[in-house]
Coordinates of all heavy atoms in Angstrom, one line a residue:
N1279 N -61.4 -78.0 33.8 CA -61.2 -79.4 34.3 C -60.4 -79.5 35.5 O -60.7 -80.3 36.5 CB -60.6 -80.2 33.2 CG -61.5 -80.6 32.1 OD1 -62.7 -80.4 32.2 ND2 -61.0 -81.0 30.9
W1280 N -59.3 -78.7 35.6 CA -58.5 -78.8 36.8 C -59.2 -78.3 38.0 O -59.2 -78.9 39.1 CB -57.2 -77.9 36.5 CG -56.3 -77.8 37.6 CD1 -55.3 -78.7 37.9 CD2 -56.2 -76.7 38.6 NE1 -54.6 -78.2 39.0 CE2 -55.2 -77.1 39.5 CE3 -56.9 -75.5 38.8 CZ2 -54.8 -76.3 40.5 CZ3 -56.6 -74.7 39.9 CH2 -55.5 -75.1 40.7
V1281 N -60.0 -77.2 37.8 CA -60.8 -76.6 38.9 C -61.8 -77.7 39.4 O -62.0 -77.9 40.6 CB -61.4 -75.3 38.5 CG1 -62.4 -74.8 39.6 CG2 -60.4 -74.2 38.3
N1282 N -62.4 -78.3 38.4 CA -63.5 -79.3 38.7 C -62.9 -80.5 39.5 O -63.4 -80.9 40.5 CB -64.1 -79.8 37.5 CG -65.6 -80.3 37.7 OD1 -66.4 -79.6 38.2 ND2 -65.8 -81.6 37.5
R1283 N -61.7 -80.9 39.1 CA -61.0 -82.0 39.7 C -60.7 -81.7 41.2 O -60.9 -82.5 42.1 CB -59.8 -82.3 38.9 CG -59.1 -83.5 39.2 CD -57.8 -83.6 38.4 NE -57.4 -85.0 38.3 CZ -57.0 -85.6 37.2 NH1 -57.0 -84.9 36.1 NH2 -56.7 -86.8 37.2
K1284 N -60.2 -80.5 41.4 CA -59.9 -80.0 42.7 C -61.2 -80.0 43.6 O -61.1 -80.4 44.8 CB -59.3 -78.6 42.7 CG -57.9 -78.5 42.1 CD -56.9 -78.9 43.1 CE -55.5 -78.8 42.5 NZ -54.5 -79.4 43.4
H1285 N -62.3 -79.5 43.1 CA -63.5 -79.5 43.9 C -64.0 -80.9 44.2 O -64.5 -81.2 45.3 CB -64.6 -78.7 43.2 CG -64.4 -77.2 43.4 ND1 -65.1 -76.6 44.5 CD2 -63.8 -76.2 42.8 CE1 -64.8 -75.3 44.5 NE2 -64.0 -75.1 43.4
I1286 N -63.9 -81.8 43.2 CA -64.3 -83.2 43.4 C -63.4 -83.8 44.5 O -64.0 -84.5 45.4 CB -64.2 -84.0 42.1 CG1 -65.3 -83.6 41.2 CG2 -64.2 -85.5 42.4 CD1 -65.7 -84.5 40.1
A1287 N -62.1 -83.5 44.5 CA -61.3 -84.0 45.5 C -61.6 -83.6 46.9 O -61.3 -84.3 47.9 CB -59.8 -83.6 45.2
T1288 N -62.3 -82.5 47.1 CA -62.7 -82.0 48.4 C -64.0 -82.7 48.9 O -64.4 -82.6 50.1 CB -62.9 -80.5 48.5 OG1 -64.1 -80.2 47.7 CG2 -61.7 -79.7 48.0
L1289 N -64.7 -83.4 48.0 CA -66.0 -84.0 48.4 C -65.7 -85.4 49.0 O -64.8 -86.1 48.6 CB -66.9 -84.2 47.2 CG -67.4 -82.9 46.5 CD1 -68.2 -83.3 45.3 CD2 -68.2 -82.0 47.4
D1290 N -66.5 -85.8 50.0 CA -66.4 -87.2 50.4 C -67.0 -88.1 49.4 O -67.9 -87.7 48.6 CB -66.7 -87.4 51.9 CG -68.2 -87.5 52.1 OD1 -68.9 -88.3 51.4 OD2 -68.7 -86.8 53.0
T1291 N -66.5 -89.4 49.4 CA -66.9 -90.2 48.3 C -68.4 -90.5 48.2 O -68.9 -90.6 47.1 CB -66.1 -91.6 48.4 OG1 -64.7 -91.2 48.6 CG2 -66.2 -92.4 47.2
K1292 N -69.0 -90.6 49.3 CA -70.5 -90.8 49.3 C -71.2 -89.7 48.6 O -72.1 -89.9 47.8 CB -71.0 -91.0 50.7 CG -72.4 -91.5 50.8 CD -72.7 -91.9 52.2 CE -74.2 -92.3 52.3 NZ -74.6 -92.5 53.6

Side-chain angles (χ1 to χ4, degrees):
N1279 283 346
W1280 179 82
V1281 172
N1282 205 59
R1283 195 181 200 137
K1284 291 277 184 191
H1285 276 271
I1286 287 198
T1288 66
L1289 297 179
D1290 77 50
T1291 309
K1292 193 170 174 185

